[in-house]
Amino acid sequence: MKNFQIDKLKERLISIVSHENVLFGERETRSYRTGIRVGFGEAVAVVLPNDLLELWDVIKLCIALDKIILIQAANTGLTGGSTPDGDKYDRDVVIINTRYLDKLFLLNKGKQVLAFPGASLYKLEEILEPFEREAHSVIGSSCIGASIVGGVCNNSGGNLIKRGPAYTELSLYAQLNSDGQLELINHLGIDLGESPEEILKNLQESNFNSNNISTTGKKASDDTYKELVRDFNSTTPARYNSDKRRLFEASGCAGKIVVFAVRLDTFLKSKKKKVFYFGTNNPSKITEIRKTVLAQFMELPEMAEYMHYSSFDGADKYGKDTFLIIKYLGKGIMPTLFKIKRIIDMFFTFIPLMPQNIFDRFLQNLSKVLPDHLPFRLRDYRHKFNHYLIIVATDSVINEVRYLLDRLCSNKEMADYFECGDLEGEDILLHRYVAGLAPKRSKIMNDHESGDVLALDVALPRNCESWHEIIPDPILENALESFQMAHFMCMVFHWDFLLKKDANINEIKRTILRKLDDLGAKYPAEHNVGHIYKANDDLASFYQKLDPRNSFNAGIGQLSKNKFYRD
């Protein structure tokens, strides 16, 4: 009977999206069922719609056949929320991948953008360039290739200090109500018609005047975020996933609704930009920089990224190939590279005695014979110091940063800094960005002696000054490698540990989380609860309100995977 139902599902899916855009079977679907860092589970099919109407029809079919729907874009989630979690579901899971739905529309001459679910940040950066404007987030703060809508759904971003996490109250989404009725809700603030088919057809074919979009009282970005960051004496974190202030429809939904489009603000590009690189062996110096900037600067820097030497070394060792690919071939090559990787890995998956992730292994070994890719001064600071702060300052902030760092670096043995040239600054930022790939690559290359990856995404209280002392030595002793970095002005830290094979990940995690609870920290900060973290009451209530029948991304936040959230 079950095989008959799957055959029926397959036949009807193919009639909607064509044969080549429906994947069945262990081998064909494996890469879509596997998370970039953690997460793996079962799914009966992977569907790749070509347009919004196909997406709508696929959703209707899955709802009619009582399937669980998991919406996936770039599959760059770091907590397993982009993939199924095991096989203990009471209904079949269907993954709908939206990477072909990648349209972008600039609104009102680039002041805002309307993005489809598969549109990426790097594509938005490209089309904004002629308008001298920038996106709400930047590519690769934790992973390369992230989608715009994925960022909104997961409260991602926030390393740009004055812009905050991706947030909007303007979206178009499908929701299944408690009566089992599928609704398409248009809150974009754009008149696109009445019926779902009419709305989606007009949007897909851009049947609206993009340069004459009416203003609305709803927000398309978090315009109060920088004021929260400035309150560095607060005992609460600046941003975290379960913050009720940032949970609104698509924003923070974690796939509990199907988002067809979002409308977001863009930002005027600064006239001047300067990257400063600060190194020290005394972490309190970095705390002093933060407090001085937040308390005394008239304007805030654009970015202030902390790197521990472990993260520096991880990016150096495991991110070199990605660094060189982006540096010399551009960000636009990454989707093609991911596609090639998926095909090659799938081909070798079931060949006996062949190692998994063969494409990653090839790139890693190739990187070892390539020339050094990092600027000389960056190497020099790695030998001198263990803690680094990358400050990106614009316009009037440049002189303020220069004066502050001059004052703090009177003893060059304890702390020093340099101002980067344009190319040098780009290399330093790119080195920071590829650091997010290190834990997964480390796991691949050390699979014979490693256990699990413990990925922690933590928002510390804004008044925390002991941030560099939180991880106890016994934890580090249980790790083959660790990687530590942060968005420092908002005190959001990423701690990733590749544990030894015999290490007890649950006990280690409990030990760290107990300490974080005592500090008043919140977790996760910006990567969503996924299947790693338990959703607190506020977040669980938000998910259940959006999806009362538990038909979308069931099990997220360690909630029930069963229909109506039954135990």
Side-chain angles (χ1 to χ4, degrees):
M1 181 66 178
K2 185 171 183 179
N3 287 337
F4 172 78
Q5 291 177 336
I6 292 176
D7 288 342
K8 180 181 179 182
L9 172 68
K10 182 176 182 179
E11 178 184 334
R12 294 180 67 178
L13 286 173
I14 290 172
S15 71
I16 296 171
V17 300
S18 75
H19 188 278
E20 60 269 23
N21 285 2
V22 183
L23 306 176
F24 282 84
E26 168 73 19
R27 178 175 177 177
E28 292 79 3
T29 63
R30 186 178 183 85
S31 64
Y32 296 91
R33 296 183 290 109
T34 305
I36 189 173
R37 190 172 297 177
V38 297
F40 180 77
E42 297 300 315
V44 297
V46 175
V47 191
L48 295 92
N50 291 292
D51 58 42
L52 298 181
L53 282 167
E54 287 188 359
L55 175 58
W56 174 252
D57 288 339
V58 169
I59 294 167
K60 287 197 299 181
L61 172 63
C62 291
I63 293 300
L65 297 178
D66 200 23
K67 307 300 182 186
I68 293 171
I69 297 169
L70 195 158
I71 301 295
Q72 178 188 90
N75 192 13
T76 56
L78 301 181
T79 55
S82 302
T83 60
D85 176 46
D87 59 359
K88 291 181 170 57
Y89 293 90
D90 64 344
R91 294 150 289 165
D92 293 328
V93 177
V94 175
I95 297 172
I96 303 177
N97 186 283
T98 63
R99 60 192 173 96
Y100 293 152
L101 310 179
D102 60 352
K103 280 192 175 182
L104 288 169
F105 302 104
L106 294 186
L107 308 179
N108 294 333
K109 299 181 179 179
K111 292 180 180 178
Q112 289 187 327
V113 62
L114 190 152
F116 281 19
S120 62
L121 278 170
Y122 71 82
K123 185 174 181 180
L124 177 56
E125 288 179 5
E126 287 181 355
I127 68 170
L128 284 174
E129 188 67 32
F131 294 84
E132 293 295 313
R133 299 190 72 85
E134 295 178 322
H136 59 284
S137 301
V138 293
I139 183 173
S141 66
S142 292
C143 46
I144 307 295
S147 70
I148 296 167
V149 168
V152 171
C153 294
N154 294 313
N155 297 123
S156 300
N159 63 328
L160 294 178
I161 301 166
K162 293 183 283 188
R163 301 177 198 176
Y167 177 80
T168 187
E169 297 168 0
L170 299 165
S171 62
L172 172 69
Y173 62 93
Q175 184 174 32
L176 189 66
N177 64 28
S178 57
D179 296 325
Q181 299 300 309
L182 186 65
E183 303 172 317
L184 185 70
I185 300 171
N186 181 11
H187 286 168
L188 286 171
I190 302 172
D191 184 6
L192 295 167
E194 298 297 329
S195 71
E197 290 76 14
E198 183 184 10
I199 290 170
L200 296 173
K201 185 174 186 294
N202 283 330
L203 184 56
Q204 183 72 47
E205 298 177 359
S206 60
N207 292 329
F208 57 93
N209 186 346
S210 61
N211 286 317
N212 189 27
I213 302 297
S214 60
T215 58
T216 171
K218 293 185 176 181
K219 293 183 178 182
S221 62
D222 187 354
D223 56 1
T224 62
Y225 175 71
K226 59 185 178 182
E227 302 308 321
L228 285 173
V229 173
R230 280 195 184 271
D231 187 7
F232 60 85
N233 287 318
S234 174
T235 58
T236 62
R239 60 185 176 100
Y240 50 96
N241 278 111
S242 58
D243 185 354
K244 289 192 292 185
R245 200 180 65 86
R246 295 193 185 93
L247 300 176
F248 187 89
E249 296 178 352
S251 297
C253 71
K256 298 301 285 181
I257 54 179
V258 181
V259 181
F260 284 76
V262 295
R263 180 175 162 187
L264 292 161
D265 290 332
T266 67
F267 300 86
L268 195 63
K269 186 177 289 188
S270 302
K271 295 178 181 178
K272 294 188 296 182
K273 184 178 292 187
K274 177 68 71 174
V275 177
F276 295 84
Y277 194 77
F278 176 84
T280 184
N281 289 316
N282 181 1
S284 64
K285 290 277 189 182
I286 297 180
T287 298
E288 187 176 350
I289 291 174
R290 175 175 175 265
K291 294 171 72 171
T292 303
V293 168
L294 296 180
Q296 299 179 17
F297 279 27
M298 292 293 292
E299 292 289 335
L300 294 176
E302 186 173 282
M303 194 186 302
E305 296 291 286
Y306 166 74
M307 290 185 78
H308 183 258
Y309 73 86
S310 60
S311 186
F312 183 105
D313 291 350
D316 188 21
K317 184 176 181 180
Y318 298 114
K320 181 178 179 179
D321 53 287
T322 306
F323 178 104
L324 292 170
I325 288 168
I326 294 177
K327 180 178 174 67
Y328 292 108
L329 298 180
K331 300 168 186 173
I333 195 67
M334 296 310 294
T336 302
L337 197 68
F338 289 145
K339 185 176 182 180
I340 293 171
K341 168 182 162 55
R342 184 179 293 114
I343 293 170
I344 291 176
D345 286 347
M346 184 176 70
F347 178 78
F348 285 101
T349 294
F350 294 103
I351 297 179
L353 304 180
M354 287 298 294
Q356 299 292 307
N357 301 293
I358 197 161
F359 191 67
D360 282 280
R361 295 175 186 275
F362 167 75
L363 290 177
Q364 182 64 32
N365 289 319
L366 177 64
S367 71
K368 294 177 182 178
V369 301
L370 295 175
D372 191 7
H373 60 299
L374 296 180
F376 170 78
R377 289 199 287 185
L378 203 60
R379 287 272 179 227
D380 183 47
Y381 270 50
R382 171 61 188 94
H383 297 313
K384 292 179 179 178
F385 305 115
N386 288 332
H387 305 271
Y388 320 101
L389 190 67
I390 305 166
I391 303 176
V392 181
T394 56
D395 300 335
S396 62
V397 185
I398 294 173
N399 285 332
E400 286 187 287
V401 171
R402 185 181 292 129
Y403 176 79
L404 172 60
L405 296 183
D406 278 337
R407 180 170 61 82
L408 290 175
C409 296
S410 56
N411 182 348
K412 303 295 185 184
E413 296 298 316
M414 290 300 299
D416 204 357
Y417 84 98
F418 61 87
E419 297 182 30
C420 305
D422 291 343
L423 293 179
E424 192 178 37
E426 289 176 8
D427 284 352
I428 285 173
L429 290 173
L430 187 52
H431 182 65
R432 160 62 186 88
Y433 294 155
V434 301
L437 304 173
K440 176 67 179 292
R441 180 67 66 82
S442 175
K443 167 69 173 172
I444 291 170
M445 300 308 298
N446 296 286
D447 61 344
H448 60 289
E449 57 180 329
S450 66
D452 297 302
V453 173
L454 174 58
L456 295 174
D457 166 28
V458 179
L460 296 177
R462 281 165 279 178
N463 67 344
C464 180
E465 297 187 12
S466 61
W467 52 270
H468 50 91
E469 301 171 336
I470 292 174
I471 305 299
D473 288 339
I475 301 298
L476 298 175
E477 291 169 3
N478 276 283
L480 280 178
E481 294 189 282
S482 65
F483 311 93
Q484 303 175 45
M485 54 188 178
H487 309 310
F488 199 70
M489 291 296 163
C490 59
M491 298 299 284
V492 167
F493 282 74
H494 301 297
W495 296 321
D496 296 285
F497 307 94
L498 177 62
L499 300 178
K500 296 176 182 177
K501 191 177 287 288
D502 58 348
N504 186 329
I505 185 172
N506 293 320
E507 182 57 38
I508 292 170
K509 184 178 176 180
R510 280 194 293 268
T511 299
I512 297 176
L513 296 188
R514 279 196 297 266
K515 188 164 187 177
L516 293 174
D517 289 339
D518 291 341
L519 286 171
K522 298 286 187 179
Y523 45 85
E526 61 174 355
H527 289 155
N528 196 276
V529 287
H531 294 287
I532 290 181
Y533 299 97
K534 181 177 175 63
N536 69 7
D537 291 344
D538 288 336
L539 198 56
S541 176
F542 178 63
Y543 290 161
Q544 291 168 338
K545 182 178 178 181
L546 290 178
D547 181 22
R549 299 172 71 90
N550 203 18
S551 294
F552 300 101
N553 211 1
I556 197 80
Q558 300 181 10
L559 298 177
S560 170
K561 295 177 180 177
N562 298 330
K563 198 170 185 177
F564 297 110
Y565 302 92
R566 290 189 292 255
D567 291 337

